[in-house]
Amino acid sequence: FPGSCRLCEEDVRKIFACVKEGRAPTDEIAFNIVKTTDKKLMLSPPSFEFRDGIYVLLRNVSDSNAAAVPSNLEHLVINEHDIGSTEFCKWSLSGPASKSKKKGSIQQRYSYPRGRPEYSNTKGGSMWTMIDVTGKDGLDIRVFHVYHS
């Protein structure tokens, strides 16, 4: 997926479906998975200098050390050293692009890095979240698209 292109909601739905159903991504919508543990920096909002690309951010959802990843998607898991730079870079998230809070709807929030100017002045991103059954942002799985801006 070229770094200058932007994801659309249909693409994001396909990514969520891949992770939830354990299906491999298509070549057109390649992504990597980053999982957190209780001892690592939160990835949502992100705190690293990410390379351009699509990342599925998985939050630790149990007492185990890491978030669950479908076994046939394990080859897509990367650690923070593969993200780009582990240089601390807090990202800001804008208000939601959609006021829709229906279960299964997807919400996009634009993201802006607030780190070194050499990085922050050239990157932008979008954080996509699926709305859960309670009408709130589902924080366990998020899609983060980083691109040159």
Side-chain angles (χ1 to χ4, degrees):
F1 198 85
S4 60
C5 295
R6 303 290 195 272
L7 285 174
C8 66
E9 186 171 328
E10 181 181 339
D11 295 333
V12 174
R13 282 195 182 281
K14 289 176 185 175
I15 294 169
F16 277 116
C18 286
V19 176
K20 289 182 175 191
E21 298 167 13
R23 290 188 285 122
T26 63
D27 290 337
E28 301 87 41
I29 311 173
F31 60 84
N32 286 296
I33 297 172
V34 182
K35 54 187 181 174
T36 65
T37 65
D38 292 332
K39 297 180 173 93
K40 291 186 179 179
L41 289 172
M42 284 294 295
L43 289 172
S44 189
S47 300
F48 297 108
E49 290 185 352
F50 283 74
R51 290 187 182 101
D52 291 2
I54 301 170
Y55 303 90
V56 174
L57 308 179
L58 295 182
R59 186 172 73 160
N60 182 12
V61 294
S62 68
D63 292 333
S64 66
N65 287 334
V69 175
S71 59
N72 63 329
L73 298 181
E74 282 287 342
H75 67 285
L76 300 174
V77 175
I78 60 174
N79 63 41
E80 43 294 322
H81 299 291
D82 299 322
I83 290 171
S85 168
T86 55
E87 184 79 31
F88 183 78
C89 178
K90 191 72 169 174
W91 287 70
S92 293
L93 300 177
S94 70
S98 169
K99 299 283 185 199
S100 174
K101 290 287 196 171
K102 295 178 186 171
K103 174 188 169 193
S105 65
I106 294 180
Q107 190 159 251
Q108 177 187 15
R109 296 177 72 185
Y110 292 103
S111 308
Y112 308 94
R114 303 178 123 215
R116 297 178 310 114
E118 306 84 54
Y119 179 79
S120 298
N121 292 342
T122 63
K123 298 294 176 196
S126 291
M127 180 72 71
W128 298 81
T129 307
M130 187 162 288
I131 304 304
D132 68 17
V133 295
T134 66
K136 296 182 179 178
D137 288 2
L139 301 178
D140 297 332
I141 302 173
R142 287 186 161 190
V143 174
F144 185 47
H145 183 207
V146 178
Y147 44 81
H148 183 81
S149 65

